[in-house]
Amino acid sequence: MREELPVRAIDTVFADFLCSKEVGNTDFLRKAATFASSAVGHGHICVDFADLFCSSEVAAAADSLRSSKMVGQPGEYRPLILDYANRLYLHRYWKYESDLAKTLVSMASDLPDVDTDLLKDGISRLFLKTAESPNWQAIAAAAAIRSRFCVISGGPGTGKTTTVVKIIALLLEQAKGSRMRIGLGAPTGKAAARLKESIYKAGKELEERTTVADSIPSDVATIQRLLGVIPDSCRFRHNSDNPLPFEVIVIDEASMVPLALMAKLVEALAPGSRLILLGDRDQLASVEAGAVLGDICNTGHVFGFSSAFQSFIAETTGSIISESFVGVDVPPLADSVVVLQKNYRFDEESGIGLVSVAINNDNVATVLNGMRDGTMGGVMLCETPPQGSLQKKLATLVVAGFSDYLQHENPDDVMLAFDRFRVLCALRQGLYGVEGINSLIETCLADAGIIKPDKQWYHGRPVMVTVNDYSLKLFNGDVGIALSDPESEIGLSVYFPSINGEPRNYFPYRLPAHETVFAMTVHKSQGSEFERVLLLMPPFGHQILTREIIYTGLTRARTAVELWCSDEIFAEACSRRIVRRSGLRDALWS
């Protein structure tokens, strides 16, 4: 086996159970079941025989498993499913993948009636002419109106949210006064709050350009809340028998959505409704199994648009697609995926923009010198300090970064100041992980007199909620800060950002599971933005260090990033991509 995944107790128990129901030799079944289960626990949807068995075993293993009553072909109801490409699935994940692929291809092929004259007029009003040619935001709008399914991908600052607000306005105009219910969602509470704020601002800017601006919704929920969580279960109220009450669903930060949740969302769509996904295909995949947005976008490959869609683009937007985007016999999904090209946040001199592009283009050698000598427009590369000098070097940055957040009186102002700077780590455990770094930061800030961490809860302690609590309206990823409160029994309450002007504060011991968050993992930072970031990589190689980790951490910053990482580890990480075993890409694109 090329890469043997760690085996958990649950994997062994599952394999033992299947083998107890089998007659005859169970060697192949035991290994297959163990690693099919382990694969899901480590982010994969399936396990490939080529990774599981040596070349001399593959044929015999496949024959053995295909004759087992524990293993079925696609479409059969068996604990394990072995497809025709020798991919082995747990049945549940095969069904998630199969159902999702069929529905998305069907939706992409379903072209509702469009008033092209009205659309052309709307695009000309809402998408002001720019120097960018073609106008990819306008093309994304045309794609979203033309088909029931659309993905709009692009890095931070490419205008995904601005574009989708204009798409909503165009859809409302196309409805011509008919009722159109629109649901807005995101995978985490933090991402939902950011989408809500962005949509509100973008909607206000459209008031003079469309008569439907007041009808643009701004309420955003987590996907789980949209679907209706049934307490103490893994099920949702909305499903194929009780579909969601929306004609349009918009999901932001789609790269964070795992396969199981995306499948359940799509299953719950009402017949004839639309789905629009927003996200950065180059970001980290979801923590749970799957790399759904990457598979949907066919990351790493380019398909051209069909001739019919090119004609539609030309008619409605006036844009002419270059020959590199002209396709022949393209799959239906190709016309539903638009990648925004122009970055409005990072200009041509921005180091963050230049380095992120170099990372995605396998061209990091061109930016290394500028990162080292500080001429790469806000991106500085420094060697990660050894254990003996880590605290001293860390103190300089974190004291400057967190020096003023407690100088404000209003809790919302405290949160705004705190969110100007953050330390992001690749690892969770160890001295160079968030656990060790948070402890060091507390020591550094205490030495500087900024905080007094003499007990668990102290004035200024920032915490991140790590589970969803629907009764308190606190969700995984929400960040709050403990501040003085004379009305609290212990003199402190934990304040979270206000919603609709309403302050939110909680007695510390009422909070769901949480952790201190001066530093956070890059995974947890998805959906967040900070003015400045310290991106800290360990001074040793690790399989978690990938292109996506570096790219995601780098693009959380708006103006400046200090990256602690050796040249060798940086180059190695940028050459390693996250690979999630899955058949979804083949099902969608082949």
Side-chain angles (χ1 to χ4, degrees):
M1 186 175 179
R2 290 183 209 157
E3 181 184 353
E4 193 159 295
L5 295 169
V7 175
R8 305 163 300 169
I10 192 173
D11 307 324
T12 302
V13 170
F14 174 69
D16 288 344
F17 175 75
L18 292 195
C19 290
S20 72
K21 304 296 183 182
E22 184 76 354
V23 177
N25 190 310
T26 59
D27 290 348
F28 287 131
L29 176 62
R30 185 177 301 280
K31 186 170 186 178
T34 299
F35 288 104
S37 175
S38 174
V40 170
H42 291 88
H44 304 282
I45 303 305
C46 58
V47 61
D48 194 316
F49 264 37
D51 292 334
L52 190 57
F53 299 101
C54 63
S55 56
S56 61
E57 290 182 310
V58 168
D63 289 342
S64 175
L65 292 179
R66 292 191 195 282
S67 65
S68 169
K69 62 182 180 181
M70 296 295 107
V71 182
Q73 300 179 42
E76 293 183 333
Y77 188 68
R78 302 283 181 86
L80 298 173
I81 298 297
L82 181 59
D83 75 4
Y84 305 109
N86 278 349
R87 288 181 290 237
L88 186 73
Y89 297 79
L90 301 182
H91 180 273
R92 180 192 303 177
Y93 282 86
W94 170 81
K95 185 162 176 57
Y96 286 151
E97 181 182 280
S98 176
D99 290 352
L100 178 62
K102 288 176 183 176
T103 304
L104 293 186
V105 170
S106 175
M107 292 178 69
S109 305
D110 189 355
L111 308 181
D113 292 334
V114 177
D115 185 332
T116 53
D117 289 335
L118 180 60
L119 178 59
K120 181 178 180 180
D121 174 67
I123 288 177
S124 67
R125 278 184 285 106
L126 300 181
F127 293 88
L128 302 179
K129 289 187 176 181
T130 67
E132 181 189 19
S133 181
N135 187 330
W136 286 103
Q137 291 188 359
I139 291 170
I145 303 300
R146 180 176 179 263
S147 172
R148 285 179 52 219
F149 175 62
C150 181
V151 179
I152 303 172
S153 182
T158 52
K160 297 184 292 294
T161 305
T162 302
T163 300
V164 86
V165 171
K166 295 175 182 178
I167 289 170
I168 291 171
L170 294 171
L171 286 169
L172 290 168
E173 290 180 357
Q174 289 284 316
K176 300 176 182 178
S178 299
R179 183 183 183 188
M180 178 170 282
R181 294 163 298 182
I182 300 170
L184 306 174
T188 67
K190 179 76 171 179
R194 285 195 58 236
L195 179 61
K196 179 183 177 72
E197 180 183 359
S198 299
I199 284 182
Y200 176 78
K201 290 179 179 178
K204 296 294 286 184
E205 294 173 359
L206 295 184
E207 289 180 345
E208 296 182 358
R209 288 188 266 165
T210 178
T211 59
V212 300
D214 290 342
S215 299
I216 296 173
S218 59
D219 287 337
V220 184
T222 62
I223 300 173
Q224 292 90 338
R225 193 175 175 192
L226 274 181
L227 290 171
V229 174
I230 298 176
D232 302 319
S233 81
C234 298
R235 295 178 294 115
F236 298 106
R237 292 188 178 89
H238 291 289
N239 49 43
S240 57
D241 296 324
N242 180 31
L244 289 160
F246 302 109
E247 284 76 43
V248 181
I249 295 282
V250 176
I251 301 297
D252 194 19
E253 297 290 350
S255 65
M256 300 170 66
V257 183
L259 174 68
L261 186 58
M262 186 69 79
K264 291 174 183 178
L265 172 69
V266 170
E267 179 198 358
L269 295 176
S273 61
R274 297 171 182 264
L275 175 64
I276 301 172
L277 302 179
L278 311 177
D280 186 346
R281 64 179 183 174
D282 295 312
Q283 265 191 205
L284 282 165
S286 57
V287 175
E288 297 175 48
V292 178
L293 187 67
D295 285 343
I296 292 174
C297 292
N298 203 21
T299 304
H301 300 81
V302 176
F303 275 90
F305 296 133
S306 69
S307 57
F309 184 42
Q310 293 170 51
S311 298
F312 186 80
I313 291 170
E315 180 181 4
T316 56
T317 73
S319 291
I320 306 299
I321 301 297
S322 67
E323 289 190 7
S324 61
F325 289 94
V326 175
V328 179
D329 297 327
V330 299
L333 208 65
D335 292 344
S336 291
V337 178
V338 179
V339 180
L340 303 182
Q341 309 287 322
K342 181 174 174 58
N343 198 302
Y344 296 88
R345 180 184 306 164
F346 305 131
D347 59 30
E348 294 182 355
E349 302 301 317
S350 165
I352 298 173
L354 291 170
V355 175
S356 60
V357 169
I359 289 171
N360 286 331
N361 290 341
D362 292 319
N363 202 19
V364 295
T366 62
V367 296
L368 267 175
N369 287 336
M371 293 170 66
R372 284 195 217 97
D373 61 24
T375 60
M376 188 48 69
V379 179
M380 172 72 79
L381 178 66
C382 306
E383 193 90 14
T384 304
Q387 181 175 344
S389 57
L390 178 59
Q391 181 174 323
K392 181 179 180 180
K393 185 169 183 181
L394 191 64
T396 303
L397 286 178
V398 299
V399 168
F402 294 122
S403 62
D404 65 344
Y405 80 102
L406 291 177
Q407 296 177 9
H408 303 271
E409 295 184 5
N410 182 284
D412 282 341
D413 292 336
V414 173
M415 290 297 306
L416 286 173
F418 181 73
D419 277 347
R420 293 191 189 116
F421 173 73
R422 193 72 91 251
V423 179
L424 304 182
C425 302
L427 305 179
R428 167 163 293 281
Q429 298 176 329
L431 179 65
Y432 292 91
V434 291
E435 294 177 0
I437 295 299
N438 269 314
S439 178
L440 286 178
I441 292 175
E442 283 185 321
T443 300
C444 295
L445 298 183
D447 290 346
I450 297 171
I451 60 173
K452 296 180 180 179
D454 51 348
K455 48 186 175 292
Q456 179 186 5
W457 287 103
Y458 55 86
H459 178 67
R461 182 191 176 196
V463 294
M464 173 186 284
V465 174
T466 57
V467 296
N468 294 330
D469 189 321
Y470 292 90
S471 63
L472 294 179
K473 297 183 179 179
L474 291 174
F475 303 101
N476 187 359
D478 285 355
V479 173
I481 298 179
L483 299 172
S484 298
D485 179 5
E487 297 183 7
S488 169
E489 294 179 13
I490 63 170
L492 291 169
S493 285
V494 182
Y495 290 81
F496 290 81
S498 300
I499 296 180
N500 298 327
E502 292 294 324
R504 297 190 299 158
N505 59 293
Y506 303 85
F507 185 60
Y509 297 110
R510 286 192 66 203
L511 293 185
H514 56 271
E515 59 191 25
T516 302
V517 72
F518 289 111
M520 62 200 302
T521 63
V522 176
H523 270 96
K524 286 288 188 181
S525 74
Q526 291 184 94
S528 300
E529 288 181 357
F530 313 100
E531 285 296 325
R532 292 170 293 116
V533 160
L534 168 60
L535 181 55
L536 194 159
M537 300 292 112
F540 48 80
H542 195 288
Q543 62 182 9
I544 201 173
L545 304 182
T546 63
R547 171 186 305 189
E548 291 85 357
I549 280 278
I550 301 286
Y551 171 84
T552 302
L554 187 77
T555 55
R556 296 312 90 201
R558 286 188 287 266
T559 59
V561 178
E562 185 161 322
L563 171 58
W564 287 4
C565 185
S566 70
D567 291 3
E568 294 76 18
I569 290 176
F570 177 72
E572 180 184 348
C574 289
S575 68
R576 182 190 296 126
R577 298 202 71 141
I578 293 176
V579 177
R580 293 276 176 93
R581 295 299 184 197
S582 162
L584 181 61
R585 188 178 302 221
D586 286 350
L588 291 171
W589 290 93
S590 296

